[in-house]
Amino acid sequence: FGDPSASGVWQELDALLAREWAREDGTGLRVAATGVDTGYATQRVYEYTGPRLARRVFALKGNGSPGAPLLPRKPGKPTRGGVRVYLIGVDAAKDLWLGRLKQQIPGPGYVHFDETTDSEYLEQLTAERRLRKLSAGRWTSRYEVLPNRRNEALDCAVYALAALRLMNPTAVRPAPPATVEAPALPTPDVPAPAPPAPRERAVPFVPRFPRGGFVGRW
């Protein structure tokens, strides 16, 4: 919470993204990807997200065009400052989210909530409905906020889903096993060759986009 024009707000966000949470078994969890909406305080968002793309901090913008995929086939062109903005098909993301909220049997696609989740969050998460309207002799379909409801939780859920897709989780390699068999030692009369010195090079993070539509694993 705070004024985006103040630098202290962004410093607090940096601290939040660097924080580690602990699961019940003691395993540490950190933020893997972040999406920041460019619809407000746009220049400040560019200044923050641009240098942090390698840390998976994405500048996002909602695309409300009918039929827009959750992620575009190609990323948008960089802005004059070199910031790449990713257009998100918000209707497609909401279709996926609200469809999964209707699933009642635990399993793939089932949405889990913590027992401390309050009613305000759930009301915001379900604050929109897809409505059909007749306009100029044609039926159109779009999401609209229900009267006297706030929808910030749904907006955050949509962009969290987009950040997950941009992170390309299916390409992340699993962690190595806890115990690894020790390699065989070289024989005394045959000295082992010295390993080559490792070469360090910076590899920028490049999100991968799906080849098909917006439906996929996440």
Side-chain angles (χ1 to χ4, degrees), residues 48-198:
Y48 181 80
T49 57
R52 293 169 175 79
L53 180 59
R55 292 166 48 189
R56 299 186 181 126
V57 179
F58 304 110
L60 307 181
K61 183 177 181 179
N63 179 9
S65 301
L70 201 158
L71 290 183
R73 295 181 181 273
K74 296 181 180 180
K77 296 181 179 180
T79 64
R80 292 183 179 180
V83 179
R84 193 174 295 276
V85 180
Y86 299 88
L87 295 178
I88 308 303
V90 292
D91 285 2
K94 292 173 183 178
D95 283 343
L96 181 59
W97 258 116
L98 298 180
R100 290 186 170 182
L101 289 177
K102 297 177 181 179
Q103 184 171 330
Q104 300 181 9
I105 301 177
Y110 181 82
V111 182
H112 299 261
F113 292 100
D114 185 82
E115 60 183 4
T116 61
T117 304
D118 57 25
S119 59
E120 172 66 20
Y121 176 82
L122 296 176
E123 289 179 359
Q124 290 191 20
L125 193 62
T126 56
E128 296 189 18
R129 292 288 186 273
R130 181 182 277 278
L131 303 176
R132 296 184 65 203
K133 288 187 176 182
L134 184 62
S135 176
R138 298 182 58 183
W139 286 99
T140 60
S141 177
R142 59 179 300 175
Y143 277 95
E144 293 187 2
V145 183
L146 297 175
N148 302 319
R149 297 281 288 273
R150 296 175 58 182
N151 63 343
E152 288 89 348
L154 179 58
D155 285 344
C156 288
V158 165
Y159 278 174
L161 176 58
L164 176 67
R165 290 291 182 84
L166 286 170
M167 190 177 64
N168 191 23
T170 57
V172 177
R173 296 183 179 180
T179 57
V180 180
E181 184 178 356
L185 298 176
T187 56
D189 55 342
V190 180

